[in-house]
Amino acid sequence: MRYGSARGRQAGYGAAGGPRRGVVAAVALAGCGALLAAGCSPAGGPKAGPGGSPPGTAAGSGSPGPSGGASASPQAPAPPAKGMVTVTGEVAKGLESPWGVAPLPGGDLLVASRDKGTISRVATGSGAVTRIGEVPGVAPGGEGGLLGLALSPSFASDRLVYVYFTTESDNRIARMRYDEQRPAGQQLGAPDTVLRGIPKGLVHNGGRIAFGPDKMLYAGTGETGETGLAQDKKSLGGKILRMTPDGDPVHGNPEPDSVVYSYGHRNVQGLAWDADKRLWAAEFGQKAWDELNLIEPGANYGWPQAEGKAGRPGLRDPVAVWKTDEASPSGIAWAEGSVWMAGLKGNRLWRIPLAGAEPVAEPEAFLEGQYGRLRTVVPLGGDRLLLVTSETDGRGSPEAGDDRILTLTVR
């Protein structure tokens, strides 16, 4: 155990020093998505976090559900106010700048390296990491590079892997065919660009992509530090985008000829759907409040006119907020009635328990300072999550074995 060097917050997130847990034991994991851990390490008891409502606002204030989303199931009980996290194993270690993660049907993982521009396969049974290929045209720099990963909804038949990445001129989304019969390192086909022209910058590139319950592709983007882009509906920066798998606007989008789904965002790196198909998004604040937002099509989430819960007509307030040194949120996942949110500068995992669209308690922090910066959370079904650290992204204080992918059980 040692103390990492602290670095100043830059462009929405940075590193934070603090004690780190030692390496958990490697485990054997197998089965079709069933990750069974041996020799697990406890995560320690929960630590209540100060995130939640800013002074003078109600903890439960927020947005109604998005159009098309069902209301909360009356049969679904609200989650408990207090949760629990146990680290049950370590899937892989020694990863360089991991960002996007996509679980394969057989239980292995695809992992994107932001700075190398490569995709590797992690064998969950052994922890072996094998490079399957490189994404041509990736231009890493600052917060840009190879970012989000997602599998096609028809992956079993089409074998398509979707990637969000930074080039010399823009951010874009492409898809590549994954052929496991080809030699290692050459298993990705030529990229087919799905969407281009997302603004790029040294900061605020967004980058999370995910297929929703409607089998449409969603992407979170950033405004690259040019705050005006977030309110410009003709720009793809500072938005959540919704498109067909081919990159076309979806029938039912706010504007029929546009992939823009919501706007007024600063930098969205977390997307997740709850059990009632509501879309949630995590967003970096500037100096005051990081946000968890419930996304409605066509809604304006306020940046740069508002940060946090402003209560201004025409602007959508977040459901929960955090001081920027407590979170700097990246990936999120839904499990056990809560949104689970990875914190970069905050060096912790946040739990936001929800009954429908309303929090049932203040957000709760876990793993604070134990594994450093946390980038991505992936649901595995039921009470199981994957958690990806981000100590080798240039803003952390990497220790031996970083970066790593951990398995968690949560409630």
Side-chain angles (χ1 to χ4, degrees):
M1 182 181 296
R2 62 177 170 82
Y3 285 83
S5 59
R7 299 186 186 185
R9 180 180 180 88
Q10 181 181 18
Y13 62 98
R20 297 268 308 280
R21 272 186 75 88
V23 179
V24 298
V27 295
L29 302 168
C32 181
L35 302 183
L36 305 177
C40 60
S41 290
K47 181 173 181 179
S53 305
T57 62
S61 64
S63 313
S67 60
S71 60
S73 169
Q75 288 79 27
K82 295 296 182 181
M84 183 178 70
V85 172
T86 302
V87 178
T88 54
E90 181 179 272
V91 180
K93 62 182 180 179
L95 302 174
E96 183 175 331
S97 60
W99 213 100
V101 176
L104 291 165
D108 287 355
L109 309 172
L110 296 184
V111 181
S113 170
R114 186 194 71 180
D115 297 339
K116 288 185 174 181
T118 58
I119 299 176
S120 296
R121 179 168 182 154
V122 174
T124 54
S126 65
V129 179
T130 304
R131 181 180 297 185
I132 67 168
E134 183 174 354
V135 179
V138 173
E143 297 172 8
L146 178 56
L147 304 174
L149 284 184
L151 300 185
S152 162
S154 305
F155 180 79
S157 57
D158 63 30
R159 312 302 290 178
L160 291 177
V161 178
Y162 284 71
V163 293
Y164 182 116
F165 63 101
T166 310
T167 74
E168 293 289 353
S169 60
D170 65 357
N171 285 296
R172 63 184 61 178
I173 301 170
R175 57 191 175 188
M176 309 171 76
R177 192 175 304 278
Y178 176 29
D179 185 353
E180 299 173 51
Q181 303 305 312
R182 298 179 65 181
Q186 304 174 36
Q187 295 176 340
L188 292 176
D192 171 26
T193 299
V194 170
L195 183 71
R196 68 180 73 231
I198 303 169
K200 64 160 283 188
L202 286 176
V203 296
H204 306 180
N205 289 287
R208 196 70 61 182
I209 55 174
F211 281 94
D214 56 2
K215 298 185 179 180
M216 297 296 106
L217 180 61
Y218 294 73
T221 74
E223 35 76 306
T224 72
E226 294 187 29
T227 58
L229 296 182
Q231 292 293 323
D232 180 359
K233 293 184 183 180
K234 295 182 180 179
S235 171
L236 299 180
K239 309 294 190 298
I240 292 176
L241 311 177
R242 177 177 180 249
M243 68 201 81
T244 70
D246 295 325
D248 297 321
V250 181
H251 176 72
N253 275 6
E255 298 183 16
D257 59 347
S258 173
V259 297
V260 172
Y261 193 65
S262 63
Y263 68 106
H265 299 288
R266 185 171 182 266
N267 190 23
V268 175
Q269 289 189 7
L271 298 172
W273 287 264
D274 65 22
D276 292 308
K277 301 181 181 180
R278 286 177 287 254
L279 174 58
W280 298 84
E283 180 170 344
F284 291 89
Q286 184 177 35
K287 295 180 180 179
W289 301 108
D290 293 328
E291 302 178 357
L292 177 69
N293 284 296
L294 178 59
I295 301 303
E296 259 195 50
N300 181 355
Y301 288 83
W303 181 253
Q305 283 80 12
E307 181 180 0
K309 295 185 178 184
R312 294 177 56 179
L315 304 183
R316 192 56 53 102
D317 275 348
V319 172
V321 296
W322 294 260
K323 299 299 292 183
T324 52
D325 60 354
E326 297 172 352
S328 294
S330 188
I332 62 174
W334 171 266
E336 297 295 288
S338 298
V339 170
W340 300 85
M341 187 178 80
L344 287 163
K345 186 178 181 184
N347 284 198
R348 68 198 82 174
L349 178 69
W350 285 99
R351 172 184 181 262
I352 305 94
L354 298 163
E358 298 294 329
V360 299
E362 290 292 319
E364 188 178 10
F366 295 89
L367 309 180
E368 184 174 351
Q370 296 182 21
Y371 297 98
R373 293 161 57 79
L374 305 179
R375 171 70 67 181
T376 296
V377 193
V378 180
L380 295 176
D383 62 355
R384 298 171 301 127
L385 298 174
L386 289 175
L387 180 63
V388 183
T389 70
S390 191
E391 284 290 287
T392 59
D393 67 352
R395 291 177 174 171
S397 302
E399 297 179 353
D402 285 335
D403 271 308
R404 54 191 85 239
I405 301 176
L406 307 171
T407 55
L408 314 178
T409 58
V410 300
R411 75 173 188 198

